[in-house]
Structures are given as structure tokens and as C-alpha cells.
Amino acid sequence: MLLTYQYKLNPAPEQVVTLETWGELLRRHYNYALGQRLDWLNRTRSQIDRCSLVCSPIGEIPEKVDYYTQASDLKQTKELFPEYKNIYADCQQQNLMRLDKAWKRWLVPDQNGKRGGRPRFKKRGDICSFTFPRVNSPKAGAHLVGNTLKLSKIGEIKVILHRPIPDGFEIKQATILRKADGWYVSFSLEDKTVPTALPIDEIKTATGIDVGLEKFLTTADGQSIAVPQYYRKAQTSLARQQRKLARKTKGSKNYQKQAGIVARLHLHIARQRKEFHYQVAHWLLKSYDLIIFENLNIKGLARTRLAKPILDVAWGAFLQIMQAVAVRRGKHTRGVDPRGTSINCSGCGFRVEKTLAVRVHSCSCGLVIDRDWNSALNLLNLGSVGLPIPGCGGLGDAQPVKQQVSYVNLRCYRYTACS
């Protein structure tokens, strides 16, 4: 299993200039390589039995371009543009590999028949990261010695190791990236001590979680977590800073300074949201062996008038984090079809039609509970079919109840803890 640990860097001013120069040169080379691929595609896309009435390429049709042909041209690139000799060769190859992956995602569909978007030319500042594929090996371009990172053709940079790299973890690669508040390094670590998944027969506790906008999620036990609304709370401050940015002359020093302030504010909001997601994920997987969630069409929901609150809670990012934490803890997660889970009664299965404005589920069988709680119970019943899990039959013959969900305090669950 690969884990990613990210640390802050403290480069010298001259090293910052070198890092920015590398990013700009790699951006230009990325655009040139992408132009080669698009040119080959445009010249060979005409059908064999007809010609286009709009335009037709002239000149010699180039040969097919791929990663290997473009990597072999790096020697010629360095002869024509000597500044590329100052960039570590592996970083240039990794830059072409990024393009190759994006190109294949666009042309070759995945196992579900979906394809990625067309690769686009990068504007100035878009490429702010590059990768050293080998670390701490004899021919590696990056070496981590204590709290010092030695990079080929850049020098030694101090690393703020806010948490130690665990013993037995092997550093596979290092990615240098720039964020709004400085430079960072991301180490890809191979963890060979990942616990085996808990056997199905030994699952003792399970729950379903219903995500929403009024409450971030509600479990089948009736516990709920409030929506933090980090973006909503920062909107006033963000709008003020963006108005200041709009008054600046675009491209000036003051404009760049103010743009940095806006970027750091967005970065702070993203970090708050990510911290919250890890806290919730660790709390859930510490309490339950199996988490059953709903497979939502989040992209489709984000196109509605509720786009802002949906993107603020970031259900998709949370579900990815939860599944990653589950693997790390040896627990299980399962996604089920959400259709009908908020309408069907968890006690008798009768269909109770209601609008989104109705927040209480009231059935003719006498069951009166919170709407989200009822949905979580239905998810638990759907996801536990065929599993020997005790207590997964909904409320069953229990007496009708009307209970307010309780809110959980997550302050003690830090996402930096991997265990």
C-alpha cells in the first residue's frame, strides 16, 4: 500500500528561483509535446472514404507520437535549448509521463466506458510540481538525510518533519510542489504493514450513513454530525479580499500580492474541510467494522441550484477518504443504490411519499423518526443482505419512537493518526 506524507520546505531565495524556473520550462515542454500529439491527431483523423469540406492538412503527415518517441527527443531538446540541461533528466521524463496518462485517459475509455477530458495547454503557473521518481537509491536525484532533502542540481533544502517517517516505510518517490503558502514535498511511502481485512464472519458492528446538507451525515444508530459550512462562514472575508483584488491592476505587484491572499484563504478552507473529513472517517471506522454508504451521482447533483452547499460539504472527497482509512484499519465499506431509501419505511417497508421539505418520516405503522435516520436504517438493511451481522433488521417490531439525533464531538479524532 502506498501512503503520501507531505512536509513543508524552507528553500533559500536562490533555490526558489530555480524551482520556479524548472516549473516554467517543464510547462513549455509539456505544451510542445501536447502540440505534437494534437498535430498528429488532426492530420490523421480524416476518414478514408471522404475529405473534409472545411479544412484539410497539408504537408507530410508525421509519424505517430507517444511517450517513447518524445522521451528519445529529450537529447535534441537539450541541444537546441541548453537551459534544459539544468533540469534533472528524470523530472523531464516524469513530465512526459503525466502527459501520456492524460492523453490515454482521453482516448482510451476505462472499465466503465468513461473517458477523461481532452488535455489542455498549460498557462503560466499551471505546472507547479515535478517528481523525482527515485529517493535514497544510488542513482536517485533526491536523498532525505535527517531533516535535509538533497535534490540534484538544486541543493540541500530543510524539511519541517512535523511527524516522523515510520520505521519500515520505504520512500518510493518525492514530488516537489508549490502551494499558496510556500513549497512542499510529498513522499510516496510503501507501507508493507497494512493489516489484512477483517473476515466477514468476524464483523460485529455495522452502520449505514446518510449524507445530507442539513446534517453532514446520520448513522443507523441515530447519531448525527452537523455540517461545518467552512466556505459559507468564510464567504464574507473571501468576498472582501476578492473585491480588493478586482481593484488592482492585473499583472502588477499589488495584484500578485492580493491574489496570494485570496489563494491562501481558499487553501485554508480546503484544509479545514479535509481535517473534518478525516476526523469523521476515523470516528466512524473506530466505532464500526462495516460502513454502508449510498452511491450518489454527485456530479449530477452539483449541477442543480444546490451546487454551492453540495460542493462545500464535498461528499465525494469524504467517501474517498473514508474508504482509504478503512483499508488502513482493516475495516470494510460498501456502497449501495440510494433509490427509495428516504421514501421507504425502515420498519415495515411501506412507501411513504414526501418532499425534501418534510424532515420527519411518519408511517402508518406508527414509526415516527427523523427522515435521515430512516434513510440510514434502509441503507444498513440493503448493505447487510447476506452478511451474518447481528442487529441489522431495521427497527423491526420496536415501538414507534420520535427521537432527536445526537451530535457527535469529533475534536479528539485527528486525521494525522494513521492507526
Side-chain angles (χ1 to χ4, degrees), residues 239-250:
R240 185 185 305 113
Q241 299 299 332
Q242 288 176 330
R243 283 196 298 269
K244 291 182 179 180
L245 178 63
R247 299 189 191 104
K248 308 295 182 183
T249 302
K250 191 171 183 179

Side-chain angles (χ1 to χ4, degrees), residues 104-105 107-116:
K104 290 179 179 179
R105 281 197 301 266
L107 296 181
V108 182
D110 59 8
Q111 58 183 0
N112 298 323
K114 297 182 179 180
R115 300 189 304 174

Side-chain angles (χ1 to χ4, degrees), residues 23-31 122-125 127:
E24 174 61 17
L25 292 177
L26 292 175
R27 180 190 72 87
R28 296 178 183 178
H29 190 242
Y30 182 97
N31 288 344
K122 304 296 183 182
K123 297 184 294 185
R124 182 180 294 271
I127 293 184

Side-chain angles (χ1 to χ4, degrees), residues 29 105 148-149 285:
H29 190 242
R105 281 197 301 266
T148 302
L149 180 64
L285 292 161

Side-chain angles (χ1 to χ4, degrees), residues 53-125:
L53 296 177
V54 180
C55 62
S56 179
I58 60 175
E60 183 180 356
I61 298 178
E63 296 181 359
K64 184 177 180 179
V65 182
D66 57 12
Y67 164 74
Y68 299 101
T69 59
Q70 291 182 328
S72 62
D73 292 339
L74 285 175
K75 182 177 181 181
Q76 182 181 4
T77 302
K78 295 178 181 179
E79 294 177 354
L80 297 175
F81 305 97
E83 57 268 23
Y84 282 92
K85 295 181 180 179
N86 299 324
I87 302 178
Y88 190 62
D90 286 356
C91 296
Q92 300 181 55
Q93 294 174 0
Q94 290 293 315
N95 190 42
L96 293 176
M97 286 184 183
R98 287 184 183 181
L99 173 60
D100 189 61
K101 290 180 181 179
W103 185 263
K104 290 179 179 179
R105 281 197 301 266
W106 177 42
L107 296 181
V108 182
D110 59 8
Q111 58 183 0
N112 298 323
K114 297 182 179 180
R115 300 189 304 174
R118 173 179 173 174
R120 294 180 293 180
F121 292 102
K122 304 296 183 182
K123 297 184 294 185
R124 182 180 294 271

Side-chain angles (χ1 to χ4, degrees), residues 63-303:
E63 296 181 359
K64 184 177 180 179
V65 182
D66 57 12
Y67 164 74
Y68 299 101
T69 59
Q70 291 182 328
S72 62
D73 292 339
L74 285 175
K75 182 177 181 181
Q76 182 181 4
T77 302
K78 295 178 181 179
E79 294 177 354
L80 297 175
F81 305 97
E83 57 268 23
Y84 282 92
K85 295 181 180 179
N86 299 324
I87 302 178
Y88 190 62
D90 286 356
C91 296
Q92 300 181 55
Q93 294 174 0
Q94 290 293 315
N95 190 42
L96 293 176
M97 286 184 183
R98 287 184 183 181
L99 173 60
D100 189 61
K101 290 180 181 179
W103 185 263
K104 290 179 179 179
R105 281 197 301 266
W106 177 42
L107 296 181
V108 182
D110 59 8
Q111 58 183 0
N112 298 323
K114 297 182 179 180
R115 300 189 304 174
R118 173 179 173 174
R120 294 180 293 180
F121 292 102
K122 304 296 183 182
K123 297 184 294 185
R124 182 180 294 271
D126 281 358
I127 293 184
C128 51
S129 65
F130 44 87
T131 301
F132 291 85
R134 294 174 292 181
V135 181
N136 291 344
S137 62
K139 296 183 179 181
H143 296 268
L144 181 64
V145 181
N147 63 343
T148 302
L149 180 64
K150 298 180 179 179
L151 300 178
S152 177
K153 300 187 178 182
I154 295 179
E156 298 182 355
I157 303 177
K158 183 180 178 181
V159 183
I160 302 177
L161 294 174
H162 61 275
R163 57 174 173 174
I165 297 178
D167 296 334
F169 281 41
E170 182 181 357
I171 304 178
K172 288 296 185 179
Q173 66 180 22
T175 300
I176 311 299
L177 67 155
R178 182 183 61 189
K179 294 188 176 182
D181 60 343
W183 290 86
Y184 289 80
V185 58
S186 293
F187 292 118
S188 294
L189 309 175
E190 183 180 11
D191 182 12
K192 300 180 181 180
T193 62
V194 178
T196 56
L198 186 70
I200 300 297
D201 298 337
E202 298 182 10
I203 295 178
K204 298 180 180 179
T205 56
T207 189
I209 57 171
D210 177 74
V211 295
L213 299 178
E214 185 182 24
K215 296 179 286 290
F216 180 71
L217 64 82
T218 302
T219 68
D221 299 335
Q223 299 186 89
S224 179
I225 298 175
V227 176
Q229 292 186 335
Y230 295 116
Y231 181 76
R232 289 282 189 180
K233 294 176 181 178
Q235 266 190 305
T236 303
S237 176
L238 184 60
R240 185 185 305 113
Q241 299 299 332
Q242 288 176 330
R243 283 196 298 269
K244 291 182 179 180
L245 178 63
R247 299 189 191 104
K248 308 295 182 183
T249 302
K250 191 171 183 179
S252 64
K253 292 292 185 180
N254 289 335
Y255 182 91
Q256 296 176 3
K257 182 178 179 181
Q258 186 63 28
I261 295 175
V262 175
R264 285 191 292 272
L265 184 55
H266 278 292
L267 181 62
H268 177 67
I269 297 171
R271 285 172 173 170
Q272 284 181 307
R273 188 183 295 115
K274 187 176 181 180
E275 168 87 9
F276 171 73
H277 287 167
Y278 270 101
Q279 289 177 355
V280 175
H282 277 284
W283 169 72
L284 284 173
L285 292 161
K286 186 176 182 180
S287 306
Y288 305 98
D289 298 331
L290 172 64
I291 308 295
I292 302 168
F293 60 92
E294 47 190 346
N295 288 323
L296 294 172
N297 181 15
I298 301 176
K299 288 186 178 180
L301 293 172
R303 297 190 184 102

Side-chain angles (χ1 to χ4, degrees), residues 325-389:
V325 173
V327 174
R328 186 69 181 87
R329 287 178 172 266
K331 302 296 183 70
H332 296 272
T333 59
R334 176 177 292 185
V336 298
D337 189 354
R339 287 180 292 183
T341 54
S342 61
I343 297 177
N344 298 334
C345 179
S346 59
C348 64
F350 184 74
R351 188 178 180 89
V352 181
E353 297 288 346
K354 47 185 173 288
T355 62
L356 288 175
V358 180
R359 305 311 304 173
V360 176
H361 171 80
S362 179
C363 184
S364 58
C365 68
L367 181 63
V368 182
I369 60 174
D370 183 83
R371 175 198 180 106
D372 297 334
W373 188 6
N374 175 72
S375 180
L377 287 171
N378 284 326
L379 290 170
L380 177 60
N381 295 335
L382 287 174
S384 60
V385 173
L387 299 179
I389 303 173

